[in-house]
């Protein structure tokens, strides 16, 4: 029959705790990667739709970094600054 000392139980507790902490972190990072890819696809889709509608978008293709979908007020501000040009208008002064 096996006999475990307190030291053995403490080591087992440490090993199990480290394993659980790694797993939780691994799952969180996976979810973050999935959310980032989803946001990038949505942004590329929206930029493509705007370009198909004739808008000239002053944004690089293959955007890297954090992406957030703009609100209506942010879009209006971008249009006022000249980064989004409606069809038929030019950005030149």
């Amino acid at each position: 029959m096996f006999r475990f000392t307190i030291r053995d139980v403490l080591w087992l507790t440490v090993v199990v705790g480290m394993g659980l902490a790694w797993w939780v972190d691994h799952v969180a990072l996976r979810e973050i990667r999935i959310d980032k890819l989803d946001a990038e696809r949505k942004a590329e889709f929206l930029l493509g739709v705007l370009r198909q509608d004739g808008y000239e978008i002053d944004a690089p293709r293959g955007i890297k970094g954090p992406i957030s979908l703009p609100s209506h007020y942010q879009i209006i501000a971008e249009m006022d600054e000249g980064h989004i040009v409606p069809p038929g208008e030019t950005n030149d002064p």
Side-chain angles (χ1 to χ4, degrees), residues 64-81:
K64 301 295 181 195
I67 297 174
S68 62
L69 297 177
S71 69
H72 173 72
Y73 299 109
Q74 290 171 324
I75 292 173
I76 298 300
E78 290 289 327
M79 290 178 82
D80 290 343
E81 292 175 7

Side-chain angles (χ1 to χ4, degrees), residues 20-81:
L20 285 174
W22 173 82
W23 181 254
V24 168
D25 186 55
H26 176 73
V27 169
L29 286 175
R30 183 173 183 265
E31 290 176 5
I32 288 171
R33 276 187 239 125
I34 289 171
D35 290 344
K36 180 182 174 189
L37 286 173
D38 188 45
E40 287 176 354
R41 287 182 186 137
K42 286 178 182 177
E44 287 295 326
F45 173 77
L46 290 174
L47 287 174
V49 167
L50 287 172
R51 287 185 180 113
Q52 282 180 347
D53 288 345
Y55 286 87
E56 294 179 23
I57 309 297
D58 183 19
R61 294 188 184 265
I63 298 170
K64 301 295 181 195
I67 297 174
S68 62
L69 297 177
S71 69
H72 173 72
Y73 299 109
Q74 290 171 324
I75 292 173
I76 298 300
E78 290 289 327
M79 290 178 82
D80 290 343
E81 292 175 7

